[in-house]
Amino acid sequence: MLLFKPGGHLKFNTMKTFSLYLIVALIISSCNKDISNSIELNCSYLTYSTDSFERVHKHLIANSTLLPSFFYPDRYLYSDPVFNPCNPYEIAYLRFDTWTTTLECDNELWKFSFCSGKAEKLTEQVCYSPDWSTKGWIIFTGSDRQLWKIEANGDSLVQLTHEAGYNNHAKWSPDGKLYAYTNQNGMIAKEDGEVIQVIDLNPLAWLDNTTILGSNLQGTVSYDLFTKETKVLHQANPTGTFPFDNDNLELYCFYDAGTREDKDDYWIRYNLKDNSTDSLKVLFDSYWFGKGDYSPEGKKAVVQLFRENWKDSTSNEIYQKKDLIIMNIDGTEERLIQLPE
Protein backbone atom coordinates (compact mmCIF):
# COMPACT_ATOMS: atom_id res chain seq x y z
CA MET A 1 0.00 0.00 0.00
CA LEU A 2 1.30 3.47 -0.92
CA LEU A 3 0.98 6.17 1.68
CA PHE A 4 1.61 9.90 1.26
CA LYS A 5 3.00 11.28 4.51
CA PRO A 6 2.73 14.94 5.58
CA GLY A 7 6.50 15.19 5.92
CA GLY A 8 6.91 14.59 2.21
CA HIS A 9 8.22 10.96 2.30
CA LEU A 10 6.87 7.95 0.46
CA LYS A 11 6.48 4.85 2.61
CA PHE A 12 5.91 1.36 1.24
CA ASN A 13 4.89 -1.84 2.96
CA THR A 14 6.82 -5.07 2.49
CA MET A 15 4.74 -5.97 -0.62
CA LYS A 16 6.27 -3.26 -2.81
CA THR A 17 6.43 -4.18 -6.47
CA PHE A 18 7.64 -2.77 -9.71
CA SER A 19 4.11 -1.65 -10.57
CA LEU A 20 3.98 0.59 -7.52
CA TYR A 21 7.22 2.25 -8.51
CA LEU A 22 5.79 2.76 -11.96
CA ILE A 23 2.67 4.42 -10.54
CA VAL A 24 4.80 6.78 -8.44
CA ALA A 25 6.90 7.67 -11.48
CA LEU A 26 3.77 8.47 -13.49
CA ILE A 27 2.38 10.66 -10.71
CA ILE A 28 5.60 12.60 -10.35
CA SER A 29 6.02 13.02 -14.12
CA SER A 30 2.46 14.27 -14.64
CA CYS A 31 2.37 16.75 -11.78
CA ASN A 32 5.31 18.40 -10.10
CA LYS A 33 3.59 18.87 -6.75
CA ASP A 34 4.44 19.13 -3.09
CA ILE A 35 3.94 15.67 -1.58
CA SER A 36 2.55 17.28 1.60
CA ASN A 37 -0.48 18.34 -0.47
CA SER A 38 -1.11 14.85 -1.85
CA ILE A 39 -4.47 13.16 -1.64
CA GLU A 40 -5.18 11.48 1.67
CA LEU A 41 -7.70 8.77 2.45
CA ASN A 42 -10.07 11.05 4.39
CA CYS A 43 -10.63 13.61 1.62
CA SER A 44 -14.27 14.56 1.10
CA TYR A 45 -16.14 17.49 -0.40
CA LEU A 46 -18.93 16.90 2.13
CA THR A 47 -16.90 17.27 5.33
CA TYR A 48 -16.04 20.94 4.85
CA SER A 49 -19.16 22.10 3.03
CA THR A 50 -22.86 22.40 3.74
CA ASP A 51 -26.01 22.41 1.64
CA SER A 52 -27.85 24.45 4.27
CA PHE A 53 -27.47 28.15 3.48
CA GLU A 54 -29.72 31.10 2.80
CA ARG A 55 -31.00 31.64 -0.72
CA VAL A 56 -32.87 34.85 -1.54
CA HIS A 57 -34.86 34.02 -4.67
CA LYS A 58 -36.04 37.33 -6.07
CA HIS A 59 -35.16 40.00 -8.59
CA LEU A 60 -33.60 43.25 -7.41
CA ILE A 61 -35.35 45.95 -9.41
CA ALA A 62 -33.54 49.24 -8.94
CA ASN A 63 -35.76 52.24 -8.12
CA SER A 64 -32.91 54.62 -8.81
CA THR A 65 -30.67 55.53 -11.73
CA LEU A 66 -27.71 55.62 -9.36
CA LEU A 67 -25.04 52.95 -9.57
CA PRO A 68 -25.34 50.40 -6.74
CA SER A 69 -23.52 50.89 -3.45
CA PHE A 70 -22.58 47.67 -1.65
CA PHE A 71 -22.50 46.93 2.07
CA TYR A 72 -20.99 43.75 3.47
CA PRO A 73 -22.46 42.03 6.53
CA ASP A 74 -19.57 39.53 6.58
CA ARG A 75 -15.96 40.39 7.26
CA TYR A 76 -14.54 38.30 4.40
CA LEU A 77 -15.51 38.10 0.74
CA TYR A 78 -14.35 35.05 -1.23
CA SER A 79 -13.89 34.83 -4.99
CA ASP A 80 -12.06 33.36 -8.00
CA PRO A 81 -11.72 29.70 -6.95
CA VAL A 82 -9.53 27.34 -8.99
CA PHE A 83 -8.63 23.68 -8.50
CA ASN A 84 -5.16 22.27 -8.00
CA PRO A 85 -4.83 20.24 -11.25
CA CYS A 86 -2.78 17.62 -9.37
CA ASN A 87 -5.20 17.28 -6.45
CA PRO A 88 -8.98 17.64 -6.97
CA TYR A 89 -9.42 18.13 -3.19
CA GLU A 90 -7.45 21.38 -3.04
CA ILE A 91 -8.38 24.85 -4.28
CA ALA A 92 -6.84 28.30 -4.43
CA TYR A 93 -9.04 31.37 -4.02
CA LEU A 94 -9.04 35.06 -3.15
CA ARG A 95 -10.07 36.58 0.17
CA PHE A 96 -10.97 40.24 0.71
CA ASP A 97 -11.02 41.67 4.26
CA THR A 98 -13.77 44.30 4.46
CA TRP A 99 -12.58 45.43 7.92
CA THR A 100 -9.06 46.41 6.92
CA THR A 101 -9.09 46.98 3.16
CA THR A 102 -10.77 49.75 1.21
CA LEU A 103 -9.10 49.23 -2.19
CA GLU A 104 -11.25 47.15 -4.54
CA CYS A 105 -8.34 45.26 -6.12
CA ASP A 106 -6.40 44.26 -2.99
CA ASN A 107 -7.15 40.61 -2.24
CA GLU A 108 -5.17 37.88 -0.51
CA LEU A 109 -4.38 34.59 -2.26
CA TRP A 110 -5.21 31.51 -0.17
CA LYS A 111 -5.37 27.76 -0.66
CA PHE A 112 -7.70 25.30 1.07
CA SER A 113 -7.64 21.52 1.47
CA PHE A 114 -10.79 19.39 1.57
CA CYS A 115 -8.57 16.70 3.11
CA SER A 116 -7.34 18.56 6.20
CA GLY A 117 -9.77 21.48 6.36
CA LYS A 118 -6.81 23.85 6.62
CA ALA A 119 -6.42 27.14 4.77
CA GLU A 120 -3.10 28.88 4.14
CA LYS A 121 -2.38 32.42 3.00
CA LEU A 122 0.14 32.52 0.13
CA THR A 123 0.46 36.22 -0.72
CA GLU A 124 -1.44 39.52 -0.90
CA GLN A 125 -2.02 42.46 -3.25
CA VAL A 126 -3.83 40.24 -5.73
CA CYS A 127 -6.47 41.61 -8.08
CA TYR A 128 -8.12 38.57 -9.71
CA SER A 129 -8.04 35.32 -11.71
CA PRO A 130 -5.55 32.88 -10.19
CA ASP A 131 -4.78 29.73 -12.20
CA TRP A 132 -2.86 26.69 -10.93
CA SER A 133 -0.39 24.82 -13.16
CA THR A 134 0.63 21.18 -13.15
CA LYS A 135 4.14 22.36 -12.26
CA GLY A 136 2.90 23.82 -8.98
CA TRP A 137 2.86 27.52 -9.88
CA ILE A 138 -0.17 29.76 -9.29
CA ILE A 139 -0.41 32.70 -11.70
CA PHE A 140 -2.58 35.77 -11.02
CA THR A 141 -3.15 39.42 -11.87
CA GLY A 142 -1.70 41.59 -9.12
CA SER A 143 -3.05 44.84 -7.74
CA ASP A 144 -0.67 46.58 -10.15
CA ARG A 145 -2.45 44.81 -13.06
CA GLN A 146 0.73 42.87 -13.86
CA LEU A 147 0.93 39.08 -13.98
CA TRP A 148 2.73 37.31 -11.17
CA LYS A 149 3.32 33.68 -10.25
CA ILE A 150 4.02 32.04 -6.92
CA GLU A 151 4.73 28.48 -5.87
CA ALA A 152 1.83 26.73 -4.18
CA ASN A 153 3.74 26.64 -0.87
CA GLY A 154 4.04 30.46 -0.89
CA ASP A 155 7.67 30.61 -2.08
CA SER A 156 9.29 32.34 -5.06
CA LEU A 157 6.98 35.22 -5.97
CA VAL A 158 7.93 36.21 -9.54
CA GLN A 159 6.72 39.12 -11.71
CA LEU A 160 6.01 37.94 -15.27
CA THR A 161 4.77 41.03 -17.16
CA HIS A 162 5.93 44.63 -17.28
CA GLU A 163 3.31 45.94 -19.70
CA ALA A 164 1.01 48.93 -19.41
CA GLY A 165 -2.71 48.34 -19.15
CA TYR A 166 -4.50 45.29 -17.78
CA ASN A 167 -2.94 41.85 -17.95
CA ASN A 168 -5.97 39.62 -17.51
CA HIS A 169 -7.15 36.06 -16.91
CA ALA A 170 -3.96 34.05 -17.42
CA LYS A 171 -4.41 30.33 -18.12
CA TRP A 172 -1.70 27.67 -17.94
CA SER A 173 -1.29 25.08 -20.67
CA PRO A 174 -1.84 21.47 -19.49
CA ASP A 175 1.92 20.83 -19.29
CA GLY A 176 2.61 24.14 -17.51
CA LYS A 177 5.16 25.28 -20.11
CA LEU A 178 3.04 28.12 -21.55
CA TYR A 179 0.31 30.45 -20.42
CA ALA A 180 -2.21 32.58 -22.30
CA TYR A 181 -3.60 35.94 -21.16
CA THR A 182 -5.18 39.14 -22.44
CA ASN A 183 -3.67 42.61 -22.78
CA GLN A 184 -5.67 44.35 -25.52
CA ASN A 185 -4.87 41.26 -27.63
CA GLY A 186 -4.44 37.67 -26.60
CA MET A 187 -0.88 36.81 -25.60
CA ILE A 188 0.95 33.48 -25.45
CA ALA A 189 4.01 33.38 -23.20
CA LYS A 190 6.55 30.89 -21.93
CA GLU A 191 6.48 30.05 -18.24
CA ASP A 192 9.29 32.59 -17.63
CA GLY A 193 7.19 35.42 -19.09
CA GLU A 194 8.64 35.64 -22.63
CA VAL A 195 5.82 36.43 -25.11
CA ILE A 196 5.99 34.18 -28.17
CA GLN A 197 2.71 34.99 -29.96
CA VAL A 198 0.07 37.72 -30.12
CA ILE A 199 -3.39 36.47 -31.13
CA ASP A 200 -6.78 37.98 -31.90
CA LEU A 201 -8.84 36.47 -29.09
CA ASN A 202 -9.42 36.49 -25.34
CA PRO A 203 -8.10 33.18 -23.97
CA LEU A 204 -10.57 31.08 -21.96
CA ALA A 205 -8.88 27.68 -21.60
CA TRP A 206 -6.55 25.21 -23.34
CA LEU A 207 -7.83 22.33 -25.42
CA ASP A 208 -4.33 20.80 -25.41
CA ASN A 209 -0.74 22.04 -25.15
CA THR A 210 -0.86 23.72 -28.58
CA THR A 211 -4.51 24.73 -28.96
CA ILE A 212 -6.22 27.67 -27.25
CA LEU A 213 -9.95 28.09 -26.58
CA GLY A 214 -10.88 31.77 -26.65
CA SER A 215 -13.46 34.33 -27.67
CA ASN A 216 -13.56 37.20 -30.15
CA LEU A 217 -16.15 38.96 -32.31
CA GLN A 218 -16.77 35.69 -34.17
CA GLY A 219 -17.73 33.87 -30.96
CA THR A 220 -15.96 31.09 -29.08
CA VAL A 221 -13.08 29.85 -31.18
CA SER A 222 -10.13 27.46 -31.11
CA TYR A 223 -6.68 28.57 -32.20
CA ASP A 224 -3.75 26.33 -33.15
CA LEU A 225 -0.39 27.83 -32.14
CA PHE A 226 1.47 26.03 -34.94
CA THR A 227 -0.85 26.34 -37.92
CA LYS A 228 -2.39 29.63 -36.66
CA GLU A 229 -5.75 28.27 -37.78
CA THR A 230 -8.88 29.65 -36.10
CA LYS A 231 -12.10 27.63 -35.96
CA VAL A 232 -15.44 28.99 -34.69
CA LEU A 233 -17.01 26.56 -32.19
CA HIS A 234 -19.94 28.61 -30.80
CA GLN A 235 -21.64 31.93 -31.47
CA ALA A 236 -21.27 33.05 -27.80
CA ASN A 237 -18.24 35.15 -26.86
CA PRO A 238 -17.80 34.99 -23.05
CA THR A 239 -14.84 36.61 -21.29
CA GLY A 240 -13.31 35.79 -17.94
CA THR A 241 -12.71 32.50 -16.17
CA PHE A 242 -15.47 29.88 -16.05
CA PRO A 243 -15.73 26.11 -15.58
CA PHE A 244 -14.76 24.26 -18.75
CA ASP A 245 -15.23 20.53 -19.31
CA ASN A 246 -12.49 19.67 -21.81
CA ASP A 247 -13.59 16.03 -22.08
CA ASN A 248 -17.03 16.99 -23.40
CA LEU A 249 -16.14 20.39 -24.90
CA GLU A 250 -18.67 22.23 -22.73
CA LEU A 251 -18.21 25.72 -21.30
CA TYR A 252 -20.37 26.86 -18.37
CA CYS A 253 -21.20 30.52 -17.69
CA PHE A 254 -23.62 32.81 -15.87
CA TYR A 255 -26.08 34.83 -17.93
CA ASP A 256 -26.89 38.16 -16.26
CA ALA A 257 -30.16 39.82 -17.30
CA GLY A 258 -29.35 42.90 -15.18
CA THR A 259 -31.17 44.61 -12.33
CA ARG A 260 -33.27 47.01 -14.40
CA GLU A 261 -35.85 44.47 -15.56
CA ASP A 262 -37.78 41.57 -14.07
CA LYS A 263 -35.94 38.88 -16.01
CA ASP A 264 -34.41 35.59 -14.94
CA ASP A 265 -30.70 34.92 -14.85
CA TYR A 266 -29.35 31.48 -15.78
CA TRP A 267 -26.52 29.04 -15.30
CA ILE A 268 -25.93 28.03 -18.90
CA ARG A 269 -23.94 25.49 -20.90
CA TYR A 270 -22.31 26.18 -24.25
CA ASN A 271 -21.83 22.92 -26.12
CA LEU A 272 -18.87 23.50 -28.43
CA LYS A 273 -19.42 20.28 -30.37
CA ASP A 274 -22.82 21.22 -31.82
CA ASN A 275 -22.99 25.02 -31.16
CA SER A 276 -25.98 24.61 -28.82
CA THR A 277 -26.86 26.49 -25.63
CA ASP A 278 -28.72 25.02 -22.65
CA SER A 279 -30.21 26.96 -19.72
CA LEU A 280 -29.55 24.59 -16.82
CA LYS A 281 -30.56 26.51 -13.72
CA VAL A 282 -32.71 29.57 -13.07
CA LEU A 283 -30.96 32.13 -10.88
CA PHE A 284 -31.88 35.61 -9.70
CA ASP A 285 -30.25 39.01 -9.20
CA SER A 286 -30.17 38.12 -5.50
CA TYR A 287 -28.50 34.73 -6.01
CA TRP A 288 -26.04 34.01 -8.80
CA PHE A 289 -22.67 32.54 -9.75
CA GLY A 290 -19.44 34.18 -10.85
CA LYS A 291 -15.97 32.93 -11.78
CA GLY A 292 -15.12 29.29 -11.28
CA ASP A 293 -13.29 26.15 -12.33
CA TYR A 294 -14.00 22.48 -13.06
CA SER A 295 -12.04 19.41 -11.97
CA PRO A 296 -12.36 16.44 -14.37
CA GLU A 297 -10.79 14.21 -11.69
CA GLY A 298 -13.21 15.23 -8.95
CA LYS A 299 -16.15 15.75 -11.34
CA LYS A 300 -17.00 18.95 -9.46
CA ALA A 301 -17.10 22.67 -10.13
CA VAL A 302 -16.15 25.45 -7.72
CA VAL A 303 -17.73 28.85 -8.35
CA GLN A 304 -18.14 32.17 -6.64
CA LEU A 305 -21.58 32.63 -5.07
CA PHE A 306 -23.15 36.09 -4.84
CA ARG A 307 -26.04 36.65 -2.44
CA GLU A 308 -27.64 40.07 -2.41
CA ASN A 309 -30.54 41.84 -0.74
CA TRP A 310 -31.72 45.40 -0.54
CA LYS A 311 -30.49 47.78 2.09
CA ASP A 312 -32.37 50.58 0.34
CA SER A 313 -33.81 50.09 -3.15
CA THR A 314 -34.56 53.80 -3.59
CA SER A 315 -30.90 54.76 -3.31
CA ASN A 316 -29.77 51.45 -4.86
CA GLU A 317 -27.91 50.27 -1.76
CA ILE A 318 -27.32 46.52 -1.53
CA TYR A 319 -26.13 44.08 1.10
CA GLN A 320 -23.81 41.56 -0.55
CA LYS A 321 -22.19 38.28 0.47
CA LYS A 322 -19.47 36.58 -1.58
CA ASP A 323 -18.80 32.92 -0.82
CA LEU A 324 -17.58 29.82 -2.63
CA ILE A 325 -19.67 26.78 -3.45
CA ILE A 326 -18.86 23.33 -4.76
CA MET A 327 -21.38 21.58 -6.96
CA ASN A 328 -21.94 19.40 -9.98
CA ILE A 329 -21.01 21.33 -13.06
CA ASP A 330 -24.67 21.50 -14.16
CA GLY A 331 -25.53 23.50 -11.00
CA THR A 332 -27.07 20.66 -9.00
CA GLU A 333 -26.12 19.59 -5.46
CA GLU A 334 -24.54 22.94 -4.63
CA ARG A 335 -22.89 23.18 -1.21
CA LEU A 336 -21.37 26.19 0.57
CA ILE A 337 -17.64 25.70 1.29
CA GLN A 338 -16.87 26.34 4.96
CA LEU A 339 -13.57 28.22 4.83
CA PRO A 340 -11.71 28.78 8.11
CA GLU A 341 -11.24 32.45 8.93
Side-chain angles (χ1 to χ4, degrees), residues 121-284:
K121 179 182 173 182
L122 302 180
T123 190
E124 54 192 19
Q125 294 185 333
V126 179
C127 195
Y128 45 69
S129 296
D131 192 54
W132 202 323
S133 87
T134 52
K135 289 190 173 184
W137 289 98
I138 300 176
I139 195 171
F140 59 87
T141 298
S143 298
D144 57 0
R145 294 346 190 248
Q146 301 297 333
L147 291 181
W148 297 74
K149 69 177 182 179
I150 191 170
E151 292 185 21
N153 61 4
D155 293 340
S156 305
L157 181 64
V158 179
Q159 184 172 350
L160 294 171
T161 60
H162 300 80
E163 307 168 34
Y166 289 71
N167 299 280
N168 296 330
H169 309 314
K171 286 289 186 181
W172 290 108
S173 61
D175 61 9
K177 294 181 179 180
L178 301 173
Y179 63 88
Y181 67 102
T182 304
N183 183 311
Q184 296 183 337
N185 295 295
M187 318 288 278
I188 309 298
K190 296 181 180 179
E191 56 185 312
D192 63 2
E194 178 188 355
V195 175
I196 60 173
Q197 281 197 41
V198 178
I199 57 180
D200 183 25
L201 56 82
N202 298 307
L204 296 171
W206 290 76
L207 299 179
D208 54 48
N209 289 318
T210 62
T211 311
I212 296 289
L213 179 70
S215 64
N216 57 22
L217 294 178
Q218 294 178 289
T220 300
V221 302
S222 64
Y223 174 82
D224 189 297
L225 300 186
F226 289 142
T227 66
K228 297 181 172 55
E229 179 184 2
T230 299
K231 180 180 179 181
V232 179
L233 302 178
H234 202 282
Q235 74 273 10
N237 57 348
T239 59
T241 56
F242 300 98
F244 175 61
D245 181 353
N246 201 342
D247 293 334
N248 296 300
L249 288 182
E250 295 173 339
L251 180 66
Y252 293 75
C253 299
F254 168 72
Y255 170 74
D256 182 6
T259 59
R260 299 296 176 183
E261 300 180 55
D262 187 13
K263 292 184 177 180
D264 291 331
D265 305 326
Y266 293 95
W267 184 240
I268 58 177
R269 174 176 58 209
Y270 298 131
N271 188 319
L272 307 184
K273 292 180 294 186
D274 61 12
N275 195 28
S276 63
T277 301
D278 300 308
S279 298
L280 302 174
K281 186 181 181 72
V282 177
L283 303 173
F284 296 83

Side-chain angles (χ1 to χ4, degrees), residues 283-320:
L283 303 173
F284 296 83
D285 303 309
S286 58
Y287 169 73
W288 52 283
F289 302 149
K291 296 176 182 178
D293 192 25
Y294 174 67
S295 169
E297 291 80 15
K299 303 298 182 184
K300 292 290 182 180
V302 284
V303 297
Q304 181 178 350
L305 170 67
F306 293 85
R307 286 179 288 170
E308 298 181 343
N309 210 339
W310 285 122
K311 181 175 184 290
D312 187 332
S313 62
T314 303
S315 56
N316 206 5
E317 296 176 335
I318 299 173
Y319 285 118
Q320 186 179 82

